[in-house]
Amino acid sequence: MINYRRLTKTDLPQVIAFYKDACDHQQFDQYSPDWTWGVYPSEQSLEESLNDLFIGAFDDDDTLLGAGILTKGEDPDYPSEAWKIPATDDQIAILHLLAVGPAARGKGVASGLLAQLKQVAKEAGAIVIHLDVIDGNPPADALYQKNGYQLAKRVVIDYEDVGRQEANLYEYELKL
């Protein structure tokens, strides 16, 4: 059984190890988000993210299988004209660092996390979730589309860790 819950300071060592492993494992994956451990994400950024809406998926042994973070307010790298759903800054949640460990892939963990994150975003007063998928990651594009996210626009973003890249911007309208 998979349990979803908010991550806390006591989870931090497991969260850091999970994301470090996710970054290290990218070399074995055909598709990946191209994260760079120590830049995006880093131990410091993960610790700071515990103040955001940071949700984890755990198995019965309390092993972290997957995680994702929501922050409130628009990402300054996203062009405002990209979005179809009108929202003020405090009504926007941004999804970051959605990841599922290799052993848990294909078991519905990512879709379960997205469902939990949608609920948490609603509870936080958001009416829309925005996110980006770096070019060349069709499984991520398919995951978001399967879960009701709409492609809003293709853009070029200057990522801190991998530089200037094309990306797809997605949005999901949270129905009240």
Side-chain angles (χ1 to χ4, degrees):
M1 182 169 169
I2 300 170
N3 305 301
Y4 299 91
R5 65 174 169 80
R6 188 108 181 246
L7 295 171
T8 66
K9 193 135 182 104
T10 59
D11 297 310
L12 190 59
Q14 190 173 186
V15 168
I16 289 169
F18 173 81
Y19 279 103
K20 185 173 184 328
D21 288 347
C23 289
D24 291 347
H25 196 272
Q26 290 177 119
Q27 64 182 319
F28 304 110
D29 293 332
Q30 182 177 1
Y31 306 106
S32 77
D34 286 335
W35 296 333
T36 304
W37 177 252
V39 179
Y40 184 80
S42 67
E43 285 188 31
Q44 180 181 348
S45 70
L46 293 171
E47 184 172 6
E48 290 168 359
S49 293
L50 292 175
N51 297 321
D52 296 315
L53 305 171
F54 203 161
I55 304 296
F58 294 86
D59 65 12
D60 290 333
D61 296 325
D62 209 33
T63 300
L64 185 62
L65 304 174
I69 304 167
L70 287 175
T71 57
K72 288 291 292 272
E74 187 61 274
D75 188 311
D77 290 331
Y78 296 166
S80 59
E81 73 276 1
W83 310 112
K84 295 168 182 60
I85 301 163
T88 61
D89 205 47
D90 64 330
Q91 295 175 314
I92 299 168
I94 306 294
L95 178 58
H96 307 273
L97 291 170
L98 184 74
V100 174
R105 292 181 186 160
K107 298 178 181 175
V109 174
S111 290
L113 276 167
L114 289 174
Q116 293 296 314
L117 289 160
K118 288 173 188 175
Q119 186 59 41
V120 168
K122 260 194 227 184
E123 291 168 5
I127 63 168
V128 66
I129 298 174
H130 294 167
L131 64 92
D132 63 90
V133 174
I134 199 165
D135 197 37
N137 193 349
D141 286 314
L143 170 70
Y144 294 118
Q145 290 170 14
K146 177 180 96 173
N147 283 278
Y149 285 78
Q150 300 297 311
L151 178 63
K153 187 172 186 164
R154 285 189 54 78
V155 297
V156 175
I157 297 176
D158 287 314
Y159 292 95
E160 181 182 4
D161 56 342
V162 293
R164 195 168 177 80
Q165 300 284 324
E166 287 190 18
N168 290 329
L169 296 182
Y170 286 94
E171 65 184 336
Y172 182 89
E173 184 174 11
L174 297 162
K175 307 278 193 241
L176 298 179

